[in-house]
């Protein structure tokens, strides 16, 4: 197929929500356009990663004909594109023949015609066309595709414990070199002293804890296994196994609201229409009023429309249509209910989908819209079918209570009454999707029965207040609903005459084919022709229920010393209400709201106030937050991090990530971010520890996070129990592995110093190989099973978590304490072995090495707080392995001497001198300065 046309595409960008391009057709193709879908058509390659501009998509068989448009239909909305790496980015043209309003296969006229290409025409990379076929043109390839440009490369997260261990390892390297240099210096730098330095470096290499990394990584694997196998937090997944210790050191928790603190299960709770408000308990009245309105309409239609009988019947029941009552200046209640419910049933992006079992479910990108459409179904106006160009509704008069939605839909299809009086058919003329910038969505529909054209729009009150007609109740009622924790949407309408719509369509088309500032021009046209003096129909309040045990979880985390920030896209009032209901704000705590700041002086005044009132909860909107970050970044973060809780409203995903990075860089504390949606991914990746919740918004956050949970309340167990244990165990394990390497090197240094500073190895071959493996590894590694308190006590007393945040379990102080212990024990064992010297050098090796192994086993036993069965087994099995190995290593052990009584008492004396004083010191410390956890046991 040949087509003389030009396609323009904008420069590559990351934004998948916008695309600017045009298709200019210069001359018609030789064959009819219908042949594009036959054997001569070219379909998309199945395995490519290029961007295509598609020029034809076959229409779905269920799509009704569109008499006013010649656009080639996309697949039916129920066959949505799904993620699959088998399709390329593609651009779909809506119309190839704009000159003919009836036939999509009519030959194109000779004059050039320009058709706009927008984001709605695009098939982005990694999607597959679920139905129909397409012919396309390559737009972007390789690194220019949106998928590749949006592929971020997050930094590999390294735990603070690993960084601390790395610093200690550097100190140990310096100690190794200093000790080698010291022995050579004490020998007077005689002979080839530089060679001796390298020999001593090799002899003291055990000081450098090479096995420490192996032990810590194995410990992390154990911690991850314990987390994922915990029956109280089912379906928890550890995606980054290098960070379990970080869970024990969290000081700041940044949480999303919707879907994280709340269930993201929306339910319509309130409808307000200015003079009357319907609550959840009075929705039956809405059903009744709606049924009365449709009965009146049906009666009027049967009475001849404008005839006296129909009109009189309508007047008698006070149920005339909205168009008739508008002329009176005041409409009755049933017609007002009819208008607002009908508008809510039309103004959305919801698609009814038939499941395999025959049931119908609603699908949409926003759960708010699904909740509202389900509510219109519950009061009698049911969405039964939606295509790209049409919407079909089922009226209350045709919805028997005994029939299910599926049965109603099937009966409609079987009886072929699509245009009967019991259904309402509307043609979709234009659709204006919701964006985070516009905070509203709109739709232009034509009633197929009456031909009336309506522009319907719903959105946030902050933008709709300026668009709707002047009123005295909207602002007050939105505030009231927000204080109840409801998400508010304002519903408005504007009737359009055919001439007005034609003018708008022409101007909108001209704006849509601009190559520069297209979006601004299109928004200006919509604002000029449509978004003026809209009729305010009503205000909806949708409830998002709290997740289970959110209040208890937040209270426990606050008691554990964790400062909680809530970052949400909701309005200030709604976020404040949720903060109070979740106990994020303590009882009687002052809430300081900061919103709509414009100047630096206003920001400075607010910061000065907060500086003098650090016990309050700060609630700040996104605009003011950005102003603070731009003008007084350090001052703001310094004050905000001192507050017990902060609520940031109207936050963009970028702002969430910026806040997380700023807290990390300023405080140097551990920050945990938790969220459930794709807008939380950047925040999760910017945190030290990212936790994703598998929720209604998919698994984007879960897959990008380090830990995946199913409920916010699982954070309690994850942090206060698993995180605490992981950090304590790894800290103890790291110090003991360092001690194990130091003590044998100290023994080597003492031996070399006594024997004229000769670089001669004290232990060789199998003894050195077995020391760090079969002789000590199992008992030392069993420390990963130790715990200082029970699980119930750890959750009952969250204050125990505060001690770990200070990092005192593994610090320079504890490191030098273990260094002194190793120095004392290594020197004591070696000196006592030489004091008890026999006639043969072999006996020194046997006595000192046996004392060393027994000393390590005893030290492990002294460090254990709560014994585990595997700890006992590892101690006994290791001792047995060592005793048996003596018989197989005659070059190191003289069995005659080993089995003699003098060997036993000499070893016992050496071990007692090396280990007993430490036991006494530990006993005294437990009496004088006991640990906080020991007071609870």
């Amino acid at each position: 197929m040949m087509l003389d046309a030009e396609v323009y595409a904008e420069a590559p960008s990351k934004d998948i929500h916008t695309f600017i391009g045009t298709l200019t057709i210069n001359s018609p193709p030789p064959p009819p356009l219908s042949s594009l879908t036959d054997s001569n058509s070219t379909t998309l390659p199945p395995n490519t990663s290029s961007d295509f501009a598609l020029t034809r998509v076959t229409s779905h068989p269920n799509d009704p004909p569109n008499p006013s448009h010649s656009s080639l239909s996309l697949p039916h909305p129920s066959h949505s594109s799904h993620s699959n790496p088998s399709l390329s980015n593609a651009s779909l043209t809506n119309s190839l023949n704009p000159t003919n309003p009836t036939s999509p296969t009519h030959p194109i006229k000779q004059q050039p015609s320009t058709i706009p290409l927008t984001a709605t025409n695009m098939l982005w990379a990694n999607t597959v066309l679920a139905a129909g076929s397409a012919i396309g043109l390559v737009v972007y390839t390789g690194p220019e595709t949106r998928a590749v440009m949006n592929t971020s490369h997050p930094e590999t997260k390294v735990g603070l414990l690993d960084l601390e261990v790395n610093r200690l390892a550097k100190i140990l390297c310096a100690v190794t070199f200093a000790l080698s240099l010291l022995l050579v210096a004490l020998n007077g730098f005689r002979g080839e002293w530089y060679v001796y330095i390298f020999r001593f470096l090799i002899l003291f290499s055990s000081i450098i804890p090479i096995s420490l990394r192996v032990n810590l990584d194995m410990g992390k694997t154990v911690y991850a296994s314990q987390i994922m196998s915990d029956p109280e937090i089912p379906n928890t997944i550890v995606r980054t196994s290098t960070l379990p210790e970080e869970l024990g050191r969290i000081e700041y928790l940044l949480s999303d609201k919707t879907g994280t603190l709340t269930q993201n299960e929306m339910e319509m709770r309130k409808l307000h229409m200015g003079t009357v408000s319907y609550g959840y308990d009075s929705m039956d009245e809405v059903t009744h009023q709606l049924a009365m309105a449709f009965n009146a309409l049906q009666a009027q239609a049967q009475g001849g429309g404008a005839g006296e009988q129909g009109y009189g019947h309508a007047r008698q029941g006070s149920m005339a249509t909205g168009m008739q009552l508008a002329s009176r200046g005041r409409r009755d209640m049933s017609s007002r209910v009819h208008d607002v419910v009908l508008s809510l049933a039309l103004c959305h992006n919801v698609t009814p989908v038939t499941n395999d079992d025959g049931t119908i479910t609603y699908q949409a990108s926003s759960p708010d819209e699904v909740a509202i459409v389900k509510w219109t179904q519950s009061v009698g106006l049911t969405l039964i079918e939606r295509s790209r160009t049409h919407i079909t509704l089922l009226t209350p008069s045709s919805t028997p209570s005994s029939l299910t939605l599926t049965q109603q839909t099937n009966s409609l299809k079987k009886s072929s009454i699509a245009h009967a009086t019991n259904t309402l058919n509307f043609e979709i003329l234009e659709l204006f999707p919701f964006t985070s910038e516009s905070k509203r969505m709109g739709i232009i529909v034509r009633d197929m029965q009456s031909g009336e054209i309506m522009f319907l729009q719903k959105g946030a009150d902050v933008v709709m207040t300026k668009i709707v007609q002047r009123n005295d109740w909207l602002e007050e009622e939105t505030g009231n609903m927000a204080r109840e924790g409801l998400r508010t949407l304002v519903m408005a309408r504007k009737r359009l005459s055919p001439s007005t719509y034609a003018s708008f369509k022409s101007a909108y088309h001209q704006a849509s084919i601009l190559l520069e500032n297209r979006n601004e021009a299109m928004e200006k046209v919509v604002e000029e022709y449509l978004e003026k003096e809209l009729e305010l129909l009503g205000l909806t309040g949708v409830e998002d229920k709290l997740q289970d045990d959110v209040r208890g979880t937040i209270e426990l985390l606050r008691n554990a010393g964790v400062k909680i920030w809530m970052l949400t896209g909701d309005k200030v009032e709604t976020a404040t209400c949720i903060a109070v209901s979740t106990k994020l704000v303590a009882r009687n705590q002052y809430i300081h709201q900061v919103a709509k700041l414009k100047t630096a002086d206003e920001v400075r005044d607010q910061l000065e106030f907060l500086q003098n009132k650090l016990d309050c909860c700060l609630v700040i909107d996104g605009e003011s937050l950005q102003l603070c970050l731009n003008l007084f970044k350090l001052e703001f973060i310094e004050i905000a991090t001192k507050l017990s809780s902060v609520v940031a409203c109207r936050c963009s995903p970028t702002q969430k990530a910026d806040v997380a990075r700023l807290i990390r860089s300023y405080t140097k504390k551990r920050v945990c971010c938790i969220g459930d949606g794709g807008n939380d991914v950047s925040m999760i990746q910017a945190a030290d520890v990212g936790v994703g919740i598998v929720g209604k918004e998919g698994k984007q956050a879960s897959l990008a996070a380090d830990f995946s949970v199913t409920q916010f309340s699982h954070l309690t167990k994850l942090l206060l129990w698993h995180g605490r244990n992981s950090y304590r165990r790894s800290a103890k394990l790291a110090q003991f592995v360092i001690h194990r390497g130091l003590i044998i090197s100290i023994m080597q240094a003492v031996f070399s110093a006594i024997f004229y500073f000769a670089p001669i190895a004290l232990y060789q071959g199998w003894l050195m190989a077995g020391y760090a493996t079969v002789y000590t590894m199992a008992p030392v590694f069993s420390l990963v099973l130790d715990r200082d308190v029970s699980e119930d006590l750890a959750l009952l007393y969250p204050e125990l978590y505060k001690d770990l945040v200070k990092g005192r379990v593994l610090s320079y102080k504890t490191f030098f304490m273990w260094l002194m212990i190793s120095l004392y024990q290594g020197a004591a064992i070696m000196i006592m072995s030489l004091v008890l010297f026999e006639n043969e050098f072999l006996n020194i090796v046997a006595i000192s090495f046996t004392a060393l192994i027994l000393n390590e086993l005893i030290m492990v036993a002294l460090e254990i707080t709560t014994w585990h069965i595997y700890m006992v087994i590892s101690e006994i099995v290791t001792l047995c392995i060592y005793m048996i190995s003596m018989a197989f290593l005659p070059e190191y052990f003289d069995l005659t001497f080993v089995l003699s009584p003098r060997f036993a008492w000499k070893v016992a004396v050496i071990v007692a001198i090396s280990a007993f004083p430490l036991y006494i010191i530990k006993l005294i410390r437990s009496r004088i300065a006991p640990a906080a956890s020991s007071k609870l046991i």
Side-chain angles (χ1 to χ4, degrees), residues 355-494:
N355 301 319
D356 294 337
D357 57 357
T359 60
I360 291 181
T361 57
Y362 294 125
Q363 291 186 356
S365 58
S366 171
D368 299 68
E369 290 197 322
V370 174
I372 292 176
V373 172
K374 285 184 176 179
W375 175 80
T376 62
Q377 176 190 344
S378 68
V379 297
L381 195 58
T382 305
L383 173 67
I384 60 172
E385 186 179 354
R386 176 173 184 153
S387 68
R388 193 171 60 89
T389 58
H390 284 77
I391 294 178
T392 303
L393 303 176
L394 201 63
T395 63
S397 58
S398 60
T399 311
S401 59
S402 59
L403 293 180
T404 65
L405 176 60
T406 306
Q407 292 170 334
Q408 298 159 16
T409 307
N410 292 339
S411 63
L412 274 174
K413 292 181 179 179
K414 291 179 181 178
S415 57
S416 301
I417 52 173
H419 297 283
T421 57
N422 58 356
T423 59
L424 301 178
N425 294 279
F426 292 86
E427 179 187 359
I428 302 175
L429 302 180
E430 296 288 345
L431 185 66
F432 312 100
F434 176 88
T435 64
S436 57
E437 291 78 20
S438 66
K439 296 183 177 61
R440 59 190 181 274
M441 77 149 296
I443 188 172
I444 300 179
V445 296
R446 176 189 284 125
D447 190 332
M448 300 293 287
Q449 282 80 12
S450 65
E452 180 186 15
I453 301 176
M454 294 183 296
F455 169 60
L456 307 174
Q457 191 171 57
K458 67 179 180 184
D461 60 290
V462 290
V463 294
M464 295 297 292
T465 303
K466 308 170 186 177
I467 298 174
V468 300
Q469 295 172 350
R470 187 174 180 179
N471 61 89
D472 58 356
W473 61 271
L474 180 59
E475 185 175 354
E476 179 183 356
E477 290 305 325
T478 52
N480 293 337
M481 288 191 185
R483 282 185 284 275
E484 296 177 23
L486 302 179
R487 299 159 65 94
T488 56
L489 282 175
V490 179
M491 190 69 234
R493 178 185 66 180
K494 185 175 186 178

Side-chain angles (χ1 to χ4, degrees), residues 203 226 276 394 426 431 522 572 723 802 852 877 901 906 937:
L203 291 177
Q226 291 176 341
V276 64
L394 201 63
F426 292 86
L431 185 66
M522 294 170 67
V572 172
K802 293 182 181 179
L852 175 63
V877 170
K906 289 179 181 179
I937 300 177

Side-chain angles (χ1 to χ4, degrees), residues 41-58:
S41 64
T42 303
T43 58
L44 288 179
N47 295 298
T48 58
S49 57
S50 305
D51 296 351
F52 283 87
L54 298 194
T55 57
R56 169 82 173 173
V57 176
T58 60

Side-chain angles (χ1 to χ4, degrees), residues 514-550:
L514 293 177
L515 300 181
E516 294 183 1
N517 301 322
R518 173 188 292 183
N519 293 333
E520 292 79 1
M522 294 170 67
E523 291 174 1
K524 186 176 180 179
V525 171
V526 172
E527 181 179 348
E528 179 181 353
Y529 284 88
L530 302 179
E531 294 180 340
K532 287 183 178 179
E533 293 296 313
L534 268 67
E535 179 187 1
L536 177 59
L537 298 179
L539 175 68
T540 63
V542 178
E543 180 188 36
D544 191 1
K545 298 179 180 178
L546 293 180
Q547 285 200 14
D548 296 336
D549 202 25
V550 166

Side-chain angles (χ1 to χ4, degrees), residues 552-610:
T553 300
I554 290 180
E555 187 174 356
L556 280 174
L557 293 177
R558 286 167 62 93
N559 293 336
V562 179
K563 295 180 179 179
I564 305 174
W565 290 35
M566 185 172 76
L567 310 179
T568 177
D570 278 349
K571 59 186 301 183
V572 172
E573 292 80 4
T574 305
T576 303
C577 179
I578 295 296
V580 173
S581 62
T582 57
K583 299 294 180 67
L584 182 63
V585 179
R587 183 178 300 176
N588 300 325
Q589 184 179 10
Y590 172 69
I591 300 176
H592 183 66
Q593 292 188 358
V594 177
K596 300 179 181 179
L597 298 184
K598 300 295 183 182
T599 64
D601 292 337
E602 293 177 342
V603 174
R604 191 180 294 107
D605 293 341
Q606 293 293 341
L607 292 179
E608 290 177 357
F609 176 84
L610 291 171

